[in-house]
Amino acid sequence: MTALVHVATLLQDAARADRLHRCARAAGAQLAFLQGGDPTLTHLLDRLHADGVRAVRLEPVSTDDLPYARSWIGRVAGHWRRQQADPPVIEFGGRTVTGGEAPLSSPAWEQPPRYRHHLLVCRGPRCSARGADETYREILRSLVMAGLTDADVLMAQTGCLFPCNHGPVAVVHPDGTWYGPVRPDGAERLVREHLGAGRPVDDLRIPRTPAPIEGEA
């Protein structure tokens, strides 16, 4: 019998894990996460292999970017298969995973990239519930419209950044400027004024009281 596995591909899927698990159970599937949630795809494959499962079918869920899903699910499943003795047959995207898929490493991923700003966008549960997905999409659109590349702004989605009352939260490094709530209209201003022109957007900033350093009186 073939074990069906739904693979959640997006970082923000961890914030809706309960719903994804319900959908998987209704489809007679188990749920694994490509990033951000548990169990990871490799850990679930470990479990199925230990239980004696001989055939697995992977189906991506929660994404419209099927080329991305095919690339990374294939890479991860292929990497896992190469580590196993007598692995089960893994079907994905109408083909069998052979272990000959592209590896997880590449010369292009050897060094941290050069960038001018590092932008972290919170995708924790509270920020996600308050529209961080729309904020992220607007930041991405605004970066493209402004002609800013990864060399200008390296953006990463994160788990909880903690000042949840101000969600959706974003922080710009290396200057450590915290913003929130960042709605879609504020996202465009953050890109244009701070990331593009180097002027922090004061009315979007989160007020900060410096915390005492441990050991200081």
Side-chain angles (χ1 to χ4, degrees):
M1 184 173 180
T2 299
L4 176 60
V5 176
H6 284 183
V7 184
T9 61
L10 306 176
L11 181 65
Q12 56 267 35
D13 289 334
R16 48 179 177 254
D18 288 346
R19 180 166 63 84
L20 291 170
H21 276 292
R22 287 196 297 271
C23 291
R25 285 194 295 269
Q30 299 185 59
L31 178 67
F33 291 84
L34 196 60
Q35 54 181 326
D38 292 310
T40 63
L41 176 55
T42 53
H43 285 166
L44 182 56
L45 290 173
D46 283 341
R47 186 188 309 163
L48 294 173
H49 191 21
D51 289 344
V53 172
R54 299 306 304 155
V56 178
R57 179 158 57 90
L58 306 178
E59 290 186 357
V61 295
S62 75
T63 182
D64 295 324
D65 191 348
L66 291 180
Y68 171 89
R70 281 195 294 268
S71 173
W72 281 104
I73 294 175
R75 282 176 184 264
V76 172
H79 171 79
W80 180 85
R81 192 182 192 282
R82 289 191 292 272
Q83 315 305 310
Q84 309 304 314
D86 191 28
V89 174
I90 303 175
E91 298 290 336
F92 171 62
R95 63 181 183 84
T96 300
V97 174
T98 65
E101 289 74 16
L104 297 183
S105 59
S106 162
W109 304 328
E110 185 67 25
Q111 297 293 328
R114 296 180 180 274
Y115 56 86
R116 183 158 48 92
H117 296 292
H118 197 182
L119 174 63
L120 306 181
V121 181
C122 181
R123 295 302 300 268
R126 294 174 183 86
C127 286
S128 292
R130 289 172 171 163
D133 55 339
E134 296 177 2
T135 296
Y136 173 79
R137 286 194 294 269
E138 182 57 28
I139 289 174
L140 190 60
R141 187 196 70 82
S142 298
L143 288 171
V144 171
M145 294 299 294
L148 298 174
T149 68
D150 285 349
D152 301 298
V153 181
L154 182 62
M155 179 166 61
Q157 301 179 79
T158 76
C160 181
L161 289 174
F162 289 103
C164 306
N165 292 344
H166 300 278
V169 170
V171 57
V172 178
H173 291 303
D175 45 317
T177 303
W178 290 71
Y179 289 108
V182 183
R183 310 295 183 195
D185 56 342
E188 189 276 333
R189 292 178 56 211
L190 189 157
V191 171
R192 173 168 43 85
E193 298 180 27
H194 190 158
L195 302 177
R199 298 189 303 269
V201 188
D202 288 339
D203 60 297
L204 293 180
R205 295 177 70 168
I206 298 174
R208 298 184 65 194
T209 301
I213 299 175
E214 186 176 353
E216 287 190 353

